[in-house]
């Protein structure tokens, strides 16, 4: 799962880069995006000390191990940061005239391990607030799976 | 304390130049850089032959030191760099060059240009439409500029703040801009207009963020000793620093309780004999209003989360601006909300004008020391304490 592997398939990488060009995909984050194609939210984790880090980087900043892996997170967390965009880059299914929410979710796996996306279409407006418990849900944008957050089942 | 800051008061800002700022477009980055640079060198009482150091800027579309040197007719230079944009990076680079003897007279030149990603006028300009920005083209992104709206929501949540202190920062800038001929926008702003403003990235509206502009600032630095024989009152760099926390990815920052702003403040307090009780002028960056609130708090004017109370208590209602203890004005030039996105060079230029007594209609009588704090929360917080020689 190491993004620096010499054995990466050039054609596969080209396809991956094309699909996630807008997300700033790099060699170091490639496996996170491969996971998205399988609808799995993968984040970088140190196989030696267990610390998560995001965005993915090739070495563990806590113990300097190079034994980084990609593990699936639960997708559960709470809204930590919240904004509603009234203008922004064009994207399929995004309507700025009604306001497009962007949430940064603090995941339950580790303090200050966060993932930024939007919320599900049926997210209750009254719960769109910092502190609301959420869980990941997969939608598609332009045929590519995309993780978003719905209100957590209580 | 002195050994921590051997450069204290040893380097002076002796020349200023600025094109002023506008949203008209039509000039090249290099032409604006050369216009500001020639003005600054002339203002310092020097000529191209005296300049042996050039600090350009790694701004999109900006020329490197080699093109500046060629364009100005510089003879030879022994310091020529292109640091990350934001004012104190350039100031520190130039000051260190002077202090270490790398060069005697260093020119800092900082052009900014509107790009096709933030300006319709630039997108329609055939000479600019090919320029690229580093901004990611997906909406679901809380980095770069968007991060300030995201953390503004967190600030409001944690402290139960209203938008009132944000409004006061914006209104203060526009009030002060009325007397600044360099400003791109100089009309006053009312609380009502602020409250009615179009949201851009809620909770931030169009008045909470600076505007893309064209223009350039330039500065000339030399030793405090050489400065004494030049035309203007030398303005000394008493202390200056940048600072970051290691975990500084915008949406992964641990919290507002410890950002690069705290690192900057701690370092300035270790290296400066002058602090907030001693200053006459304060220039906190306000490219996004949330940044200003935390600069007030982190510099120690008030505890965390109390900028709302502080700004209300230190508001001059007649003048519609902030006056700390009725004495210390804030962003006397109108800041980035009026001059535009100049990355703090306007804050620095204005502090120098005030301290040397060339601020015209904006002049604060007897100003001797200023605190300038450009930059935000993540990768560019910075600060400088400037003072006059006497």
């Amino acid at each position: 799962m190491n993004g620096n592997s010499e054995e990466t398939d050039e054609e596969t990488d080209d396809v991956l880069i094309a699909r996630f060009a807008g997300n700033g995909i790099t060699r170091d984050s490639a496996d996170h995006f491969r996971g998205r194609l399988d609808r799995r939210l993968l984040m970088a984790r140190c196989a030696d000390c267990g610390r998560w880090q995001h965005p993915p980087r090739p070495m563990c900043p806590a113990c300097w191990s190079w034994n980084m892996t990609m593990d699936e997170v639960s997708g559960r967390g709470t809204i930590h940061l919240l904004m509603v965009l009234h203008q922004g880059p064009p994207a399929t299914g995004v309507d700025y005239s009604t306001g497009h929410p962007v949430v940064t979710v603090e995941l339950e796996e580790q303090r200050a391990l966060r993932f930024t996306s939007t919320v599900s279409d049926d997210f209750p407006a009254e719960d769109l607030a910092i502190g609301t418990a959420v869980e990941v849900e997969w939608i598609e944008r332009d045929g590519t799976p995309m993780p978003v957050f719905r209100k957590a089942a209580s | 304390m002195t050994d921590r800051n051997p450069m204290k008061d040893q380097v002076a800002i002796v020349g200023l130049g600025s094109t002023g700022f506008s949203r008209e477009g039509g000039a090249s980055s290099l032409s604006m850089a050369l216009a500001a640079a020639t003005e600054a060198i002339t203002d310092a009482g020097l000529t191209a032959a005296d300049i042996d150091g050039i600090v350009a800027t790694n701004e999109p579309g900006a020329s490197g030191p080699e093109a500046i040197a060629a364009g100005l007719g510089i003879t030879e230079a022994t310091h020529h760099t292109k640091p990350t944009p934001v004012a104190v990076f350039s100031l520190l680079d130039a000051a260190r060059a002077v202090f270490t003897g790398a060069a005697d007279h260093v020119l800092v030149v900082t052009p900014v240009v509107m790009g096709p990603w933030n300006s319709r006028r630039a997108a329609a300009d055939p000479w600019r439409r090919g320029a690229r920005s580093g901004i990611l083209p997906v909406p679901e992104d809380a980095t770069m500029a968007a991060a300030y709206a995201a953390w503004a929501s967190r600030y409001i949540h944690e402290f139960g703040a209203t938008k009132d202190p944000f409004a006061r920062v914006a209104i203060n800038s526009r009030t002060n801009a009325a007397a600044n001929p360099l400003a791109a926008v100089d009309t006053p702003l009312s609380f009502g207009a602020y409250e009615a403003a179009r949201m851009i990235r809620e909770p931030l509206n169009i008045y909470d963020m600076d505007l893309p502009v064209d223009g350039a600032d330039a500065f000339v630095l030399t030793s405090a000793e050489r400065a004494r024989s030049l035309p203007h009152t030398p303005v000394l760099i008493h202390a200056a620093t940048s600072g970051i926390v290691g975990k500084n990815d915008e949406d992964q920052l641990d919290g507002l309780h410890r950002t690069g702003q705290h690192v900057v403040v701690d370092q300035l307090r270790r290296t400066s004999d002058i602090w907030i009780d001693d200053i006459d002028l304060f220039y906190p960056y306000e490219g996004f209003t949330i940044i200003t609130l935390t600069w007030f708090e982190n510099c120690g004017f008030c505890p965390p989360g109390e900028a709302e109370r502080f700004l209300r208590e230190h508001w001059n209602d007649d003048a519609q601006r902030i006056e700390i203890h009725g004495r210390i004005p804030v962003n006397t030039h109108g800041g980035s909300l009026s001059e535009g996105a100049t990355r703090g060079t306007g804050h620095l230029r204005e502090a120098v004008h005030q301290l040397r007594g060339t601020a015209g209609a904006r002049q604060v009588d007897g100003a001797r020391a200023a605190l300038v704090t450009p930059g935000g929360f993540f990768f560019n917080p910075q600060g400088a304490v400037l003072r006059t020689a006497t």
Side-chain angles (χ1 to χ4, degrees):
Chain A
M1 297 298 280
N2 188 325
N4 292 317
S5 166
E6 295 298 317
E7 296 170 17
T8 50
D9 181 326
E10 290 294 330
E11 191 174 289
T12 304
D13 283 354
D14 281 341
V15 170
L16 198 66
I17 290 165
R19 291 183 85 162
F20 292 108
N23 296 84
I25 187 172
T26 66
R27 188 182 285 273
D28 292 327
S29 64
D31 287 338
H32 164 78
F33 290 98
R34 282 200 182 87
R36 287 200 199 186
L37 295 179
D38 298 328
R39 296 176 178 244
R40 298 173 69 211
L41 186 55
L42 301 183
M43 299 186 87
R45 190 178 196 190
C46 176
D48 288 323
C49 79
R51 290 281 297 179
W52 301 85
Q53 70 166 323
H54 189 73
R57 294 201 168 101
M59 190 189 83
C60 175
C63 75
W64 285 15
S65 167
W66 290 84
N67 197 8
M68 294 301 296
T69 59
M70 283 280 172
D71 271 1
E72 188 167 5
V73 293
S74 66
R76 288 189 295 272
T78 54
I79 297 176
H80 194 81
L81 308 176
L82 167 68
M83 59 185 152
V84 180
L85 304 183
H86 295 265
Q87 65 181 54
T92 304
V94 172
D95 180 3
Y96 293 111
S97 72
T98 55
H100 181 61
V102 173
V103 292
T104 297
V105 171
E106 180 140 327
L107 299 169
E108 65 180 10
E109 276 77 7
Q110 183 175 296
R111 194 178 76 81
L113 176 73
R114 306 193 191 111
F115 189 80
T116 298
S117 187
T118 187
V119 296
S120 56
D121 284 342
D122 60 354
F123 202 97
E126 64 274 20
D127 293 319
L128 189 61
I130 289 172
T132 297
V134 295
E135 59 194 15
V136 76
E137 169 181 309
W138 291 87
I139 63 167
E140 285 201 355
R141 178 180 289 169
D142 301 326
T144 297
M146 175 178 167
V148 301
F149 292 96
R150 66 181 171 223
K151 192 184 174 196
S154 52
Chain B
M1 294 293 259
T2 309
D3 60 340
R4 181 94 200 199
N5 184 14
M7 195 168 76
K8 183 189 294 176
D9 300 334
Q10 298 302 302
V11 180
I13 303 168
V14 295
L16 297 176
S18 181
T19 58
F21 298 88
S22 84
R23 294 184 283 180
E24 295 305 310
S28 74
S29 175
L30 180 59
S31 69
M32 294 185 288
L34 296 178
T38 50
E39 187 177 310
I41 295 166
T42 305
D43 178 70
L46 300 171
T47 69
D50 298 306
I51 301 297
D52 57 355
I54 300 146
V55 176
T57 175
N58 195 20
E59 183 75 21
S63 301
E66 60 289 336
I68 303 286
L72 285 173
I74 302 288
T75 314
E76 296 179 354
T78 49
H79 183 81
H80 36 100
T81 59
K82 191 175 178 178
T84 302
V86 182
V88 173
F89 287 134
S90 304
L91 182 77
L92 269 174
D93 187 87
R96 286 166 180 162
V98 170
F99 185 64
T100 59
D104 286 341
H105 302 101
V106 180
L107 169 72
V108 171
V109 59
T110 54
V112 291
V113 293
M114 300 177 292
W117 56 87
N118 63 18
S119 156
R120 285 191 193 94
R121 206 178 293 259
D125 179 344
W127 303 105
R128 292 197 192 177
R129 75 172 61 114
R132 301 286 300 275
S133 93
I135 297 169
L136 300 180
V138 299
E140 294 80 14
D141 178 55
T143 69
M144 307 299 284
Y148 291 102
W151 282 101
S153 75
R154 188 76 200 173
Y155 179 92
I156 290 168
H157 170 82
E158 286 187 9
F159 298 117
T162 71
K163 286 298 296 298
D164 180 76
F166 297 75
R168 287 181 201 270
V169 170
I171 292 166
N172 175 75
S173 283
R174 292 283 283 272
T175 296
N176 286 337
N180 178 7
L182 302 179
V185 181
D186 59 5
T187 49
L189 177 65
S190 69
F191 281 94
Y194 177 88
E195 283 162 20
R198 184 163 60 93
M199 284 289 176
I200 303 295
R201 300 183 192 101
E202 202 175 335
L204 299 188
N205 72 35
I206 196 163
Y207 295 122
D208 287 307
M209 47 190 72
D210 61 16
L211 53 151
V213 289
D214 275 5
D217 276 313
F219 305 82
V220 176
L221 279 69
T222 191
S223 68
E225 188 183 347
R226 279 187 294 272
R228 285 198 285 270
S229 60
L230 296 176
H232 288 290
T233 302
V235 173
L236 304 178
I237 301 168
H238 181 72
T241 191
S242 62
I244 56 172
V245 295
K247 190 167 181 286
N248 60 56
D249 290 296
E250 290 94 326
D251 58 355
Q252 309 294 317
L253 192 71
D254 273 352
L256 293 173
H257 63 280
R258 190 72 189 173
T259 71
Q261 290 189 355
H262 298 84
V263 181
V264 166
V265 167
D266 287 352
Q267 176 68 355
L268 286 179
R269 299 202 70 174
R270 280 192 288 266
T271 55
S272 176
D273 301 328
I274 295 166
W275 196 238
I276 57 173
D277 290 336
D278 316 309
I279 60 169
D280 306 299
L281 305 152
F282 184 35
Y283 294 94
Y285 187 64
E286 27 70 281
F288 295 97
T289 49
I290 179 65
I291 294 171
T292 321
L293 304 187
T294 58
W295 273 126
F296 273 104
E297 295 169 6
N298 295 333
C299 287
F301 287 103
C302 60
E306 294 192 21
E308 181 159 355
R309 175 189 58 78
F310 182 84
L311 293 185
R312 199 178 294 129
E313 288 176 3
H314 296 264
W315 184 255
N316 181 329
D317 205 49
D318 294 331
Q320 288 290 293
R321 67 174 197 163
I322 305 162
E323 289 172 8
I324 303 168
H325 307 306
R327 184 178 74 82
I328 306 170
V330 174
N331 292 334
T332 49
H333 61 313
S336 290
L337 294 175
S338 308
E339 288 192 346
T342 68
R343 305 189 189 274
T345 62
H347 297 70
L348 185 60
R349 176 213 333 115
E350 174 73 359
V352 175
H353 271 307
Q354 291 283 355
L355 293 172
R356 71 184 203 178
T358 54
R362 305 178 309 284
Q363 186 64 49
V364 175
D365 289 339
R368 306 263 298 269
L371 174 61
V372 186
T373 56
F377 298 158
F378 312 110
F379 49 85
N380 57 20
Q382 44 192 248
V385 178
L386 306 179
R387 54 167 291 205
T388 54
T390 50

